Amino acid sequence: MTHTVTAPAPEAQRKKASDRAVAENKLGMKLVAPALVVMLLVTAFPMLQALWLSLSNYALTAPDDRSFVGLQNYVTALTDPLFWRTMAVTVGIMIVTVFFELIIGFVFALVMHRVIFARGIIRTSILIPYGIITVVSGFAWQFAFSGTNGFVNLWLPFVEGNFNWFGEQFPALFAICVSEIWKTTPFMSLLLLAGLAQVSEDMIEAAKVDGATWWQRLFRVILPNMRAAIMVAILFRALDAFRIFDNIFVMTAGAVGTESVSFLTYRQVIEQFQIGMGSALSVLLFLSVLVIAFLIVKLFRVDLAAARQEG
Amino acid sequence: MGGPHPRLGRRVGAAATLVLAASTLTACGSSGKPTLNWYINPDGQATLTSLAERCSTDDYDIEIQLLPTGATDQRTQLARRLAASDSSTDLMSLDPVFVPEFASAGWLLELPEDVASAVVDDDVLAGPAETVTWEDGVYAAPQWANTQVLWYRQSLADAAGISEDLEAGTATWEQVITAASENGATVGVQADRYEAYMVWINALVQGAGGEIVSNTEAGVDAEVEIDSEAGRAAAAVVQQLADSEAAQSDLSVSREGTSLGAMFAEGSPGEFMTNWTFVYKNYEPSETNTVVTEEQFGDLAWARYPRTVEGEASKPPVGGINIGVGAFTEHQDHALEAAQCVTDPEAQLALAVTDGLMPARASVYDEQELVDAYDPTLLELFRTSVEEGGPRPKSAFYNQISGAVQSQWHSPFDVDPESTPRESAEYLREVLRGEALL
Amino acid sequence: MGNGSALRKAGIAVGALLILVWCLLPVAWIISLSFKSQESITNGSPGFFPADGGFAGWDNYVAAWENDQFRRAIFNSIGISLIATLLSVIVATLAAYAIARLEFKGKKLVLTTALAIAMFPVVSLVGPLFDLWRAIGLYDTWPGLIIPYMSFTLPLAIWTLSAFFREIPWEMEQAAQVDGATSWQAFRKVIVPLAAPGVFTAAILTFFFAWNDFVFGISLTSTEAARPIPASLSFFVGADPFNRPASLLAAGAVIATIPIIVIVLVFQRKIVAGLTSGAVKG
């Protein structure tokens, strides 16, 4: 890709090549500069500002009472049971949704990989949940689970007709997870489908000739060969799930113990105008995402080069 | 490598700037006759729209901007604009509980002496008049007053044998809940995690002679009093309903609108429902409203808000809307004039007659048009409810107080007189001191 | 694949059916809900389909469309999403070209930044951004949403585009120049047609993101001046403020979903290619 000059070059030519490299370097930087500026403008600068604001006691409703409190906001947050409850709920949602998305998404990918008829229809339909607005998905499932106007209670044999899914923590979280899983499984299955396409048919055929059963082929040949795709899919979806906000906002507004860390942060900043405490939560949320990304990368040894396409 | 690409880049950059500039431009309006923006809450939209037209003059036009449904969302939207020192927020419809917070944040224009004495004269009922003052200043003009009464079906009350107590206004929550559960009926309340649940809890606590917080002028140092006999009596009512057959299945997500359907549901004896004044117009059959038949409507009855404890008069919830003028408006005089116009007796009458939003002025209750529009006993009930009702805590930190109470008392199924009042008191103190997350 | 047993074929057929039900049932539900009448919603009408006498016809669609706030929100969403998409794709194209074709310092930095931003918790930004935007007057304006949308769609756009650009046989450009074309002609006639599908895919994915965004939409706006569709739906107010207009909301949701379905129907292949090339090496 790069223009390495391999021929035995005289001095002049070598100089020309390095001039060229300098020019290329300059052009490259110029071309990426706008993207870098736009990306950092909206992330790095506000994050630094959040870091600064998180050290003060500052409510928008009482701007004159602003005072510097050091790390007090962090201490308050980290010793608060509500913070840890939201953290537990968020991690719970993340694990449950990613687990089911992975299983269902893999089944979908297998079907899509093998299916010969109606390929177009299936691929088109699978994109609809992906493209649909999360808020719409939240509403659709909220009303579906509603005892007064929904259908879930009527279709499920083991729940009573007027069961209120949003009355308690676990049923409410279940409904939220259903909406989340419904919307994002298609994305997962497409990522896995791409991974599946890379597993060579020859290898599978060879295993078959060796008398491997379907399950053996799946676990010995297919899965190990699409490890990179699976890990990247898990990483992306896990971080996405950890940031869950839309579905909770729409379906329960954080009632009955369904707040996620994102939702708690939003409520502090946007509804309570507690800019100081809210900023501390923002920083903690950001750090949590970093920690989770780090853990997933280390634990599952995700090949980030694959994600970044550095072949 | 260079070739055409840098040139392309420059062109693209220019195009981008243009598009951005164009999109900024569309945000600006045209000059000339000034337009006053009036942020309204959704109750009585149509009437408020014609009111805005009537109150527009040769000097200015009033334009309506609609706020979301919930009181908390309304506050958030307004506060965000005002925190940004927005000069286009000229007039706003404010839930009374947010007046102290907005006033102390410097977001509301203090009404000048002459305007203040005009919008809060002797004719204005004491309850609404009290809500617009903060630290000796008047910060808004009362537009209408809201209150809750107990709505029920006469046939149900007769069957349960509590009609007399209801008519006398002495029925207790316990009586009502028992009557409902023994007769296959339900009790409709508002117990979702939102402002109206706070309204219920506050009315229950006050009905038992207590307060959630007192000495609210002290701001964060207010006295938290919910951990008291009154708080426990209130929790007992919530618990009794939640545990009884009379609880509606969606109790923990119930709002003003969700229990309306249960009143005349097919094959059911109906319900007892505490709800705002709009209910009457909501059921009243008309050409456009055919949900309820004349016969069913004839069965609709009303009584004073139930008592928390026997022998102590209830404190019906009081709400309503006040009109505030934004502190950063560029058209102060116009806005003050408009605020007076949209709260004048004519405006209050129109809101009451067409939308069931009751007047804040005593004299309007005597207007013939209003007397004709309502059953006289109902009109009388509304008026006494507003007069004898109890306000929610008047604090610059009301939002935190309400949020903390809601968080500890929700879900109603988990309310326990032994623990809920105590825990909510502890939590409320911590929240006010900034030691706990909300 | 040829000698698969009947059992396997049946399994695949069942699986295919399952996918269709999974994807389309909730969509069918929200459409069905949008045809329930307001009265039946207030009185409670459980069930998948509108009950007898509870069928509203097109009433809810008419009412949703006549709602001024909703119409303005559709207009905002279309405008904001299109402008954000256009700008984001332009900026991403420049960056992706550099990443795919040039050797320069800081390439790793750009890629790492993009990766980090793709994982960024959006909510942790709304506070400071809200503060910043109201200080510089971008609060509740179109650019106030366009800029964050650009930042958060750039990573995906850059990945997708650089994956595409890597596949382009760039030698053809030189070949065309040797054949006497000017460099501009060579670029336009040879490279642009090859790069267009990739650009297009990136544009669709960017548009989806902007159309779907909720956090910025509710935090950085407060009126119809800029409020986009998802935020508007969540604040939706019907004629009767005390009743949440479930079926009206459903009608609004269906209207808001139509553009997505049209795009999916028309560009299905490109979207699949883009999604998979962006995240997985391929």
Side-chain angles (χ1 to χ4, degrees):
Chain A
M1 165 181 322
T2 42
H3 300 255
T4 34
V5 184
T6 40
E11 195 60 20
Q13 211 169 342
R14 191 172 293 155
K15 184 159 188 299
K16 201 173 162 197
S18 77
D19 275 354
R20 212 170 156 155
V22 169
E24 190 176 313
N25 190 24
K26 264 192 178 161
L27 177 65
M29 284 181 177
K30 265 188 205 156
L31 288 177
V32 295
L36 209 55
V37 167
V38 174
M39 286 194 286
L40 293 180
L41 177 77
V42 178
T43 49
F45 178 68
M47 212 57 233
L48 289 175
Q49 203 199 357
L51 213 54
W52 167 240
L53 288 171
S54 72
L55 301 178
S56 55
N57 181 5
Y58 174 33
L60 220 46
T61 46
D64 302 335
D65 297 344
R66 186 172 172 172
S67 59
F68 184 84
V69 292
L71 295 174
Q72 188 54 46
N73 286 331
Y74 292 95
V75 174
T76 306
L78 290 173
T79 54
D80 196 294
L82 182 59
F83 176 79
W84 293 107
R85 191 186 77 195
T86 59
M87 184 59 87
V89 164
T90 314
V91 171
I93 291 177
M94 179 181 84
I95 291 171
V96 168
T97 57
V98 174
F99 176 78
F100 283 102
E101 283 162 18
L102 195 61
I103 305 282
I104 303 171
F106 189 72
V107 172
F108 283 9
L110 279 179
V111 171
M112 281 195 287
H113 190 56
R114 291 292 177 209
V115 81
I116 351 168
F117 55 90
R119 249 192 138 106
I121 296 177
I122 290 176
R123 289 201 176 185
T124 306
S125 354
I126 210 145
L127 284 172
I128 289 176
Y130 168 76
I132 233 165
I133 300 175
T134 313
V135 171
V136 169
S137 160
F139 275 129
W141 286 105
Q142 186 194 16
F143 292 134
F145 277 101
S146 144
T148 41
N149 286 303
F151 65 89
V152 172
N153 282 354
L154 299 180
W155 287 15
L156 289 182
F158 50 86
V159 283
E160 282 182 51
N162 59 3
F163 181 71
N164 173 14
W165 287 87
F166 301 103
E168 276 170 83
Q169 190 179 28
F170 280 101
L173 285 174
F174 177 82
I176 289 169
C177 286
V178 167
S179 175
E180 184 79 3
I181 293 171
W182 175 71
K183 170 151 166 67
T184 44
T185 297
F187 176 65
M188 188 72 120
S189 70
L190 288 172
L191 293 188
L192 295 175
L193 179 64
L196 209 52
Q198 288 173 353
V199 180
S200 94
E201 287 291 332
D202 296 346
M203 252 154 59
I204 301 175
E205 279 304 316
K208 215 172 182 175
V209 171
D210 290 345
T213 65
W214 190 81
W215 285 107
Q216 284 171 330
R217 293 202 302 272
L218 180 66
F219 282 103
R220 301 266 167 79
V221 183
I222 299 178
L223 286 179
N225 276 294
M226 52 186 294
R227 198 191 132 82
I230 295 175
M231 289 311 154
V232 168
I234 290 182
L235 178 69
F236 275 64
R237 272 301 310 146
L239 293 177
D240 212 25
F242 188 81
R243 296 176 287 182
I244 184 168
F245 175 80
D246 303 13
N247 271 318
I248 294 174
F249 185 97
V250 169
M251 295 176 79
T252 64
V256 293
T258 54
E259 299 109 324
S260 66
V261 181
S262 281
F263 188 86
L264 183 70
T265 309
Y266 171 85
R267 196 161 65 199
Q268 287 293 320
V269 177
I270 298 291
E271 278 181 25
Q272 304 290 346
F273 304 115
Q274 300 291 338
I275 304 286
M277 176 57 86
S279 297
L281 287 175
S282 299
V283 173
L284 289 174
L285 175 61
F286 177 63
L287 292 178
S288 315
V289 168
L290 281 188
V291 168
I292 286 175
F294 179 79
L295 282 180
I296 293 177
V297 169
K298 284 290 158 206
L299 272 179
F300 298 117
R301 299 194 300 279
V302 179
D303 183 9
L304 274 180
R308 276 189 292 178
Q309 306 170 327
E310 286 165 0
Chain B
M1 189 80 339
H5 310 313
R7 224 186 311 143
L8 179 74
R10 216 171 299 142
R11 254 185 228 187
V12 162
T17 326
L18 253 178
V19 176
L20 260 181
S23 63
T24 331
L25 275 178
T26 52
C28 304
S30 56
S31 55
K33 192 175 170 184
T35 301
L36 300 183
N37 287 305
W38 176 17
Y39 288 83
I40 61 160
N41 59 320
D43 316 53
Q45 265 177 73
T47 314
L48 293 175
T49 309
S50 54
L51 194 55
E53 268 165 42
R54 171 166 78 78
C55 290
S56 296
T57 67
D58 293 342
D59 298 325
Y60 55 87
D61 287 318
I62 302 176
E63 197 175 311
I64 289 222
Q65 308 281 351
L66 193 62
L67 292 168
T69 320
T72 314
D73 287 336
Q74 291 163 10
R75 165 189 169 274
T76 311
Q77 296 293 318
L78 285 173
R80 269 193 238 157
R81 297 202 74 86
L82 293 165
S85 303
D86 175 41
S87 63
S88 70
T89 310
D90 302 300
L91 292 170
M92 62 198 112
S93 296
L94 276 177
D95 196 305
V97 289
F98 299 128
V99 171
E101 178 184 58
F102 278 41
S104 75
W107 296 340
L108 290 177
L109 188 70
E110 186 178 346
L111 304 186
E113 202 72 38
D114 56 321
V115 181
S117 56
V119 297
V120 197
D121 55 19
D122 293 344
D123 188 31
V124 175
L125 297 172
E130 171 65 20
T131 63
V132 295
T133 59
W134 177 248
E135 289 181 347
D136 303 329
V138 174
Y139 286 89
Q143 188 187 40
W144 55 274
N146 210 350
T147 189
Q148 288 199 358
V149 300
L150 182 70
W151 303 93
Y152 61 97
R153 270 165 76 174
Q154 191 61 53
S155 53
L156 170 62
D158 289 343
I162 60 166
S163 300
E164 262 178 48
D165 287 330
L166 287 169
E167 275 154 32
T170 57
T172 61
W173 276 99
E174 194 188 346
Q175 266 181 303
V176 169
I177 295 168
T178 313
S181 53
E182 282 173 359
N183 289 275
T186 57
V187 175
V189 292
Q190 294 84 43
D192 196 357
R193 185 173 166 172
Y194 79 132
E195 184 56 29
Y197 188 30
M198 171 70 174
V199 168
W200 187 33
I201 298 166
N202 187 60
L204 288 175
V205 174
Q206 289 187 330
E211 289 286 348
I212 290 174
V213 289
S214 63
N215 188 25
T216 47
E217 296 78 28
V220 295
D221 300 318
E223 209 65 49
V224 176
E225 297 197 357
I226 196 169
D227 185 17
S228 59
E229 274 312 310
R232 282 183 282 281
V237 170
V238 177
Q239 188 187 40
Q240 193 201 346
L241 178 58
D243 290 348
S244 89
E245 299 270 305
Q248 293 177 350
S249 61
D250 58 356
L251 176 66
S252 69
V253 290
S254 57
R255 294 182 163 231
E256 283 99 341
T258 54
S259 46
L260 291 173
M263 185 64 79
F264 299 109
E266 266 182 35
S268 124
E271 64 173 339
F272 294 98
M273 169 176 68
T274 50
N275 212 331
W276 305 101
T277 59
F278 79 97
V279 167
Y280 187 79
K281 289 286 159 191
N282 185 80
Y283 287 134
E284 189 179 38
S286 70
E287 272 169 39
T288 50
N289 190 357
T290 54
V291 183
V292 170
T293 64
E294 283 288 351
E295 193 198 339
Q296 288 174 322
F297 188 64
D299 197 18
L300 184 71
W302 43 83
R304 186 181 168 123
Y305 201 78
R307 297 179 167 190
T308 311
V309 289
E310 227 181 301
E312 180 135 14
S314 65
K315 285 287 212 177
V318 176
I321 285 295
N322 298 328
I323 304 296
V325 174
F328 313 102
T329 172
E330 285 165 3
H331 315 287
Q332 264 190 30
D333 293 339
H334 293 332
L336 285 169
E337 189 183 310
Q340 283 172 274
C341 177
V342 298
T343 57
D344 66 10
E346 195 186 333
Q348 298 197 3
L349 180 64
L351 282 165
V353 171
T354 45
D355 304 292
L357 307 172
M358 289 298 124
R361 289 178 167 275
S363 60
V364 184
Y365 284 86
D366 302 328
E367 291 281 342
Q368 196 54 45
E369 208 184 328
L370 186 55
V371 175
D372 291 344
Y374 283 89
D375 190 296
T377 61
L378 181 59
L379 208 53
E380 186 51 35
L381 176 62
F382 284 161
R383 189 169 161 171
T384 46
S385 277
V386 173
E387 270 172 350
E388 296 171 21
R392 280 161 275 165
K394 193 176 167 186
S395 162
F397 297 87
Y398 177 75
N399 193 52
Q400 272 99 310
I401 296 172
S402 175
V405 170
Q406 289 172 41
S407 117
Q408 295 296 305
W409 286 61
H410 198 268
S411 138
F413 294 110
D414 300 330
V415 168
D416 181 350
E418 294 302 312
S419 56
T420 309
R422 180 172 36 97
E423 283 164 12
S424 58
E426 285 163 11
Y427 182 59
L428 183 47
R429 284 190 197 104
E430 282 178 333
V431 165
L432 285 175
R433 287 197 300 256
E435 287 165 8
L437 290 172
L438 183 54
Chain C
M1 211 192 294
N3 56 353
S5 63
L7 188 74
R8 224 181 84 186
K9 272 188 184 151
I12 290 171
V14 169
L17 199 69
L18 201 74
I19 296 180
L20 289 182
V21 170
W22 174 279
C23 295
L24 301 180
L25 183 83
V27 179
W29 155 244
I30 197 103
I31 292 174
S32 166
L33 182 63
S34 71
F35 285 106
K36 289 188 181 181
S37 71
Q38 283 294 314
E39 290 87 46
S40 69
I41 294 282
T42 306
N43 292 330
S45 80
F48 193 89
F49 295 107
D52 281 346
F55 182 72
W58 295 102
D59 288 1
N60 290 319
Y61 286 88
V62 173
W65 191 247
E66 277 175 356
N67 184 317
D68 190 43
Q69 292 216 312
F70 181 74
R71 274 209 314 268
R72 301 259 300 261
I74 287 264
F75 175 69
N76 285 336
S77 261
I78 292 177
I80 291 171
S81 302
L82 282 180
I83 295 174
T85 303
L86 181 73
L87 295 180
S88 174
V89 166
I90 290 168
V91 174
T93 305
L94 301 179
Y97 174 82
I99 287 165
R101 286 273 288 155
L102 307 176
E103 210 43 62
F104 62 95
K105 278 184 211 138
K107 190 184 211 169
K108 267 227 158 80
L109 176 75
V110 179
L111 285 166
T112 319
T113 310
L115 194 72
I117 284 171
M119 298 173 181
F120 211 91
V122 175
V123 170
S124 65
L125 287 182
V126 297
L129 215 51
F130 165 68
D131 239 24
L132 181 65
W133 266 199
R134 68 190 178 87
I136 59 177
L138 281 180
Y139 180 66
D140 204 19
T141 64
W142 278 25
L145 286 180
I146 291 172
I147 294 170
Y149 289 174
M150 284 178 69
S151 323
F152 280 90
T153 52
L154 275 173
L156 187 61
I158 290 177
W159 285 336
T160 313
L161 281 169
S162 54
F164 264 89
F165 287 173
R166 239 168 258 211
E167 307 290 311
I168 292 177
W170 294 91
E171 318 80 65
M172 285 175 68
E173 189 184 24
Q174 265 116 4
Q177 280 179 26
V178 170
D179 288 348
T182 66
S183 45
W184 173 240
Q185 278 170 330
F187 178 75
R188 210 173 51 107
K189 294 263 167 70
V190 181
I191 299 304
V192 169
L194 285 170
V199 174
F200 208 69
T201 306
I204 293 171
L205 298 181
T206 307
F207 185 84
F208 274 17
F209 177 95
W211 190 259
N212 186 26
D213 163 77
F214 182 57
V215 178
F216 290 124
I218 48 168
S219 315
L220 302 179
T221 67
S222 71
T223 60
E224 307 90 273
R227 186 179 293 152
I229 271 288
S232 173
L233 281 177
S234 85
F235 290 144
F236 209 71
V237 178
D240 178 356
F242 289 113
N243 268 324
R244 193 137 79 132
S247 53
L248 202 60
L249 204 63
V254 172
I255 296 177
T257 307
I258 289 172
I260 295 296
I261 294 193
V262 170
I263 292 176
V264 164
L265 283 179
V266 179
F267 304 115
Q268 179 252 117
R269 269 164 209 285
K270 291 199 164 81
I271 304 172
V272 173
L275 277 179
T276 47
S277 72
V280 183
K281 178 185 171 188

